[in-house]
Amino acid sequence: MSRSSPWIKQLAGLGYGSRRQIADLFAEGRVTTANGEPLRADDDVVHADVRIDGMPLDPASGVLLMLHKPVGYVCSTRDQGRLIYELLPPRFCLRSPIVSAVGRLDRDTSGLLLMTDDGGLLHRIISPKSKLPKTYEVELAQDLRGDEAAIFASGELMLRSERTALLPVWLQVSAPRRATVTLTEGRYHQVRRMFAAVGNHVECLHRCRVGGLELKCLEPGAWRELTTDEKEALFSISSGY
Ligand code: URA
């Protein structure tokens, strides 16, 4: 059996082992259809119908998933502390191309994190041109003063050590120390620095929405693939592209 058969290449790319190890899986009859019939590496079969040791395959390449990032996890493959990859199946670290975080949430921020192995899609989501709105729920150390919404919306707020003013940010106040902010940029620690610039301090930060996609009831630490409708929803609210 040739190690360059499409299925051998694909399964190796999904992190199931080296090409040689995958060839062995086929030879041992461990790669089967959903009905348990052994497959050959050159069989013409769709991803959803393939099992390894009876288990459905991980998502095919081109995956886009949402993760509910808990506080305390870092968006990196090799930083100190707990990494978001610990929340995914171990095989995900071995995939080629790797499934990367689409932008970052800082360690102390929770919420909706998109991850993909599709470089073009990643670029489309994070590109400043796409102007995809991101919404955060914020809990503050001090009561809001009342002038923050106007300052954030002005398009004139300069953050320390930045050269250009922030694009307008929409603030909706829900309680004296609670608000949501919606922004279209992704500057370093943007939300925390914006509130610092108006004399406040962010105690809790949670991203609940990206474009038209909401985190809803996904538990902290859980992840799932996006449906086709959700992928469309993602770009349904965007002022760019
Ligand atoms: N703004 C922040 O300050 N932190 C994040 O993780 C995202 C936006």
Side-chain angles (χ1 to χ4, degrees), residues 104-106 109 136 189-193 205:
R104 284 182 170 219
L105 289 177
D106 64 52
T109 302
Y136 296 84
H189 288 184
Q190 180 167 340
V191 178
R192 294 178 195 278
R193 290 164 72 212
L205 187 57

